[in-house]
Amino acid sequence: MDPRDTDANKIPFDSHLSLTADEVLTTTRAVRRRLDLTRPVPRELIEEAVKIAQQAPTGRNQQQWDFIFIEDPATKARVADIWRQGLQSRAPDEHGMAPMPTRMSFGSSEWGKIRDSLGHLFWRLHEVPVLMIPVVRVAHRAEMTSTRGQAHNWGSVIPATWSFMLAARERGLGTAWTVGHLQYEREMADVLGIPYDNVVQVALTPIAYTIGTDFKPARKADPVSHIHWNRW
Ligand SMILES: Cc1cc2nc3c(=O)[nH]c(=O)nc-3n(C[C@H](O)[C@H](O)[C@H](O)COP(=O)(O)O)c2cc1C
């Protein structure tokens, strides 16, 4: 018998919202305002979601990703400070690139909603019960300079991270993908003891129970606008 095929590896199905797969896929929103800052998140729930994330595809089936969960209040405070610095930064990154310009119109109601929601989280990030940073292990950072190397590495951590977020949603937990702190990735690595040369950070998400669980599908463009048959 495969040693991995034991009862310890079976996922217990309780504390679920009993959403269908399509409901999970269409209602997992970036939760910022509706994070419950008062309710502790049990580690067991997080461990269940990680077990689900392990089923995501990875290049060469190597599962070279890790998730760093931060619950310690003093560490969260330092992490939140770097995150805030990153969000506010207009400084160029380590390659001399300015922060990504947004393609959204700043005057649009869509941007207005995100800005208000982000503003809400901005000063409260350290109060969120758990912060999570997904990372991918690389032989060396030069791997990230080619399209193929990037596709291999990002593609080996982002599906697992999204699976984690979907599994969290199914368990009543909210998450939000953020990348602002990566402007200060090295500083974050120092705070968390991450070996910078071989471990690349991907995102930072808050994790908390959501206030209410009634999230809705968002309005999107006609799917036809994303579909190309046979050629571009
Ligand atoms: C690659 C990526 C980067 C993102 N960066 C941030 C970020 O830095 N801060 C933030 O608050 N949200 C960030 N988001 C969340 C998006 O703003 C959010 O997914 C989008 O507005 C749609 O909202 P919804 O997920 O609730 O439908 C990011 C999402 C992705 C996929």
Side-chain angles (χ1 to χ4, degrees), residues 29-30 32 114 118 177-180:
R29 302 265 73 84
R32 305 183 189 93
I114 296 173
L118 190 53
W177 200 291
T178 78
V179 296

Side-chain angles (χ1 to χ4, degrees), residues 11 13 21-22 46 66 69 71 75 81 86 95-96 105 107 117 119-120 132-133 137 147 193 212 218 220 232:
I11 297 160
F13 284 99
D22 282 1
I46 287 183
D66 297 274
F69 295 101
E71 315 170 294
T75 313
D81 279 346
H95 305 294
S105 149
S117 157
H120 181 85
M132 190 263 258
I133 295 184
R137 286 177 244 148
T147 302
K220 300 285 170 177
W232 179 258

